[in-house]
Amino acid sequence: TQLLEQSPQFLSIQEGENLTVYCNSSSVFSSLQWYRQEPGEGPVLLVTVVTGGEVKKLKRLTFQFGDARKDSSLHITAAQPGDTGLYLCAGAGGGSNYKLTFGKGTLLTVNP
Amino acid sequence: KAGVTQTPRYLIKTRGQQVTLSCSPISGHRSVSWYQQTPGQGLQFLFEYFSETQRNKGNFPGRFSGRQFSNSRSEMNVSTLELGDSALYLCASSVPTVGGEVFGPGTRLTVL
């Protein structure tokens, strides 16, 4: 069974701080996606990374796909309370029949 | 453009009963996937339907089944409910060439 390990599981920081969330696997994925989920809602896609070494920026969020396509990171600069939520990474492909394999998520709380 | 809709939003059942959940994808999306989300296991892939055919299947018992209609609407059924089936069931639709899932708000199932 493929596994995507996310760390940290919980993160509580003050507004204005920077943070990085990691997503690691022993499997190679054809693409990796990051989602954010808020209470009572479904996950919302933030970005898809496809190429090893790829870096994508979305305002204050920077996403990186590892060279070997086994890991990814999400960096948030100057976090704001509106960034609070559950961040999920998900891998596609990699020899599995699963549409997507999800990590268990990082619950981020940004305090004002 | 309307998002993915799921009905009902909340459901309470007792052990041994069966349940049917419904999902209407975004217009034009022919792929519909189902996921189960629990605090302990996170988001797990159940199955994917495309053009009324099951394309992928996760590692769940046969009590979990689904189908897709010609208008791309999908239903999933869980028979002989167990306490452990209590979860948030998420439906997602996508366009294969674009990548990334668009999730509905989910159906919160509680089994007593």
Side-chain angles (χ1 to χ4, degrees), chain A residues 1 9 31 33 35 37 40-45 48 86 88 96-105, chain B residues 9 31 33 35 37 40-43 45 48 55-59 88 90 94 99-101 103-105:
Chain A
T1 303
Q9 191 176 354
S31 70
Q33 301 164 16
Y35 293 82
Q37 184 177 22
E41 299 180 9
V44 175
L45 179 68
T48 299
L86 178 67
L88 297 155
S96 162
N97 287 331
Y98 296 1
K99 179 78 180 289
L100 287 175
T101 300
F102 277 85
K104 291 194 176 179
Chain B
R9 291 293 310 275
S31 169
S33 299
Y35 296 83
Q37 187 174 29
Q41 298 300 316
L43 258 159
F45 171 71
E48 178 195 12
R55 190 155 70 171
N56 292 300
K57 189 176 189 305
N59 188 27
L88 181 66
L90 292 158
S94 64
E101 301 269 58
F103 283 87

Side-chain angles (χ1 to χ4, degrees), chain A residues 5-46:
Chain A
E5 303 284 348
Q6 270 189 254
S7 62
Q9 191 176 354
F10 300 97
L11 193 53
S12 180
I13 61 172
Q14 294 300 121
E15 183 176 0
E17 292 184 2
N18 302 332
L19 66 113
T20 302
V21 176
Y22 300 93
C23 180
N24 296 295
S25 175
S26 57
S27 300
V28 176
F29 291 99
S30 57
S31 70
L32 204 136
Q33 301 164 16
W34 285 92
Y35 293 82
R36 187 174 81 190
Q37 184 177 22
E38 298 189 25
E41 299 180 9
V44 175
L45 179 68
L46 296 173

Side-chain angles (χ1 to χ4, degrees), chain A residues 50-88:
Chain A
V50 178
T51 307
E54 182 177 4
V55 177
K56 279 192 174 179
K57 292 193 174 185
L58 187 68
K59 297 184 180 178
R60 294 176 294 99
L61 278 61
T62 302
F63 304 86
Q64 185 163 8
F65 202 11
D67 291 340
R69 306 208 315 273
K70 292 182 179 181
D71 55 87
S72 181
S73 63
L74 156 61
H75 183 79
I76 300 179
T77 304
Q80 299 175 0
D83 295 327
T84 293
L86 178 67
Y87 288 81
L88 297 155

Side-chain angles (χ1 to χ4, degrees), chain B residues 11-45:
Chain B
L11 207 47
I12 299 175
K13 292 285 188 179
T14 56
R15 278 182 302 173
Q17 288 186 309
Q18 71 153 17
V19 66
T20 299
L21 312 181
S22 181
C23 171
S24 292
I26 289 176
S27 177
H29 286 193
R30 293 165 63 190
S31 169
V32 175
S33 299
W34 290 88
Y35 296 83
Q36 181 196 65
Q37 187 174 29
T38 60
Q41 298 300 316
L43 258 159
Q44 294 184 287
F45 171 71

Side-chain angles (χ1 to χ4, degrees), chain B residues 23 25 29-34 48-54 66-76 93:
Chain B
C23 171
H29 286 193
R30 293 165 63 190
S31 169
V32 175
S33 299
W34 290 88
E48 178 195 12
Y49 286 87
F50 184 84
S51 294
E52 302 177 64
T53 301
Q54 188 180 88
R67 60 177 176 169
Q68 186 180 33
F69 303 95
S70 58
N71 61 359
S72 293
R73 191 177 69 84
S74 177
E75 289 181 348
M76 70 162 279
S93 71

Side-chain angles (χ1 to χ4, degrees), chain B residues 76-112:
Chain B
M76 70 162 279
N77 183 276
V78 188
S79 62
T80 319
L81 284 166
E82 301 176 0
L83 296 179
D85 296 333
S86 293
L88 181 66
Y89 289 89
L90 292 158
C91 167
S93 71
S94 64
V95 177
T97 54
V98 174
E101 301 269 58
V102 180
F103 283 87
T107 294
R108 172 72 64 185
L109 172 65
T110 302
V111 182
L112 302 176

